Amino acid sequence: MEKIILTGDRPTGRLHLGHYVGSLKRRVELQNSGLFDKIYVMIADAQALTDNADNPEKVRQNVIEVALDYLSVGLDPDKTTIFIQSQVPELTELAFYYMNLVTVSRVQRNPTVKTEIKMRNFEQSIPVGFFCYPVSQASDITAFKATTVPVGEDQAPMIELTREIVDRFNSIYGPTLVKPEILLPDNAACLRLPGTDGKAKMSKSLGNCIYLSDTPKAVAKGVKGMYTDPLHLNIDDPGHLEGNCPFIYLDAFCRDEHFSRYLPAYANLQELKDHYVRGGVGDGTVKKLLISILEEELAPLRERRARYEKDIPGVYDILRRGCEEARAAAARTLDEVRAAMKINYFDDPALIREQAEKYAAAHK
Ligand code: TRP
């Protein structure tokens, strides 16, 4: 069986370091691993509209932002099909059929949906489209016969639901759909990067993000403002590592070789941590190290982004070609789905013959 990846993001804002360590970096590794026959990365604008119906302009603006972020991290349009969800209408049709295979209570139990409903104050009135987005996500995945869905842990309930839909579809209509596996980030530090304020997650509305498209100055500002250890007032005070943002970021980004370049007094992160905990290391030293490491990481991204920013029509062409390719693939699956469900009336000579014979017999 072919190995196929599908994943994506909602275009509701520029992508940040949380996206980078949580998913983007891994996607590029997977792309370059040569282990996959096809890789699809989707800009989920239709899903973004399920809770932004009144603000389509926000979604529209961010489609290109997310595309630039993808290209800047090194997703290569020659190896990865980047496309826009709404331009593949086959996905909507699939979702309509899948909705019949899922109960309301099943979606209501989805912990990610529950959290989002609370966050958006949807408790009183949930848009039907928003409520159904987990089902539409099952179409996104199955339309491309994806075997592998690399996503963060918050997406696990969606993949679980997709697997249930595949089982139900295949058992009712015969084996048609491919059951996908989730691929979680492999490093504990990558599972979740907190916001610069120490809050659980980077979020645009909290203003605690460092964006991939930030200037060096903005990155430095973000790091300098990071939440550290409120008990570590003087350099010689013992420090605490739990919830200490610069250290959590270092866990995600720092390698031993960085120390010889930027902080040769230590051989590795553990030594720096030990000294910090004993007392004697200032937060400024830790932050300065982090800034250097982030700059090293982000410089190549900025360079690529600048190149693509000079040719925005070219970026739209990349997306257009991606959409055409994605659409062709989804249409093939939709044909199979319609055939399995026997709603391919005009492609089914047996059906027409059978009905003709039935009526011919009645008229004898
Ligand atoms: N729900 C994902 C997010 O919030 C975006 C998404 C839509 C997605 N369809 C998908 C991810 C299919 C993986 C597979 O970012």
Side-chain angles (χ1 to χ4, degrees), residues 337-350:
V337 160
R338 288 164 162 238
M341 295 174 70
K342 298 196 182 295
I343 52 173
N344 57 340
Y345 310 108
F346 309 127
D347 301 334
D348 187 354

Side-chain angles (χ1 to χ4, degrees), residues 6-10 42 44 47 133 137 140-141 149 151 155:
L6 178 119
T7 187
D9 303 276
R10 293 182 197 173
M42 180 181 79
Q47 187 174 111
Y133 94 72
Q137 196 155 332
D140 304 337
I141 296 168
V149 186
V151 279
Q155 296 297 304

Side-chain angles (χ1 to χ4, degrees), residues 131-179:
F131 188 76
C132 296
Y133 94 72
V135 182
S136 119
Q137 196 155 332
S139 338
D140 304 337
I141 296 168
T142 54
F144 300 97
K145 301 217 152 99
T147 50
T148 310
V149 186
V151 279
E153 55 186 338
D154 63 315
Q155 296 297 304
M158 311 305 162
I159 316 308
E160 207 33 63
L161 185 71
T162 303
R163 292 169 58 83
E164 288 173 29
I165 289 174
V166 169
D167 279 340
R168 234 176 113 61
F169 188 101
N170 288 348
S171 77
I172 299 174
Y173 305 114
T176 313
L177 302 174
V178 174
K179 203 162 159 184

Side-chain angles (χ1 to χ4, degrees), residues 1-5 25-39 74-76 78-80 147-148 183:
M1 192 168 65
E2 281 197 301
K3 293 183 77 181
I4 300 174
I5 284 181
K25 219 171 149 170
R26 184 78 177 288
R27 284 183 206 169
V28 177
E29 285 164 18
L30 293 168
Q31 167 193 270
N32 296 335
S33 72
L35 293 172
F36 291 87
D37 299 293
K38 271 308 306 171
I39 302 181
L75 287 180
D76 174 352
D78 289 332
K79 298 181 184 155
T80 294
T147 50
T148 310
L183 185 62

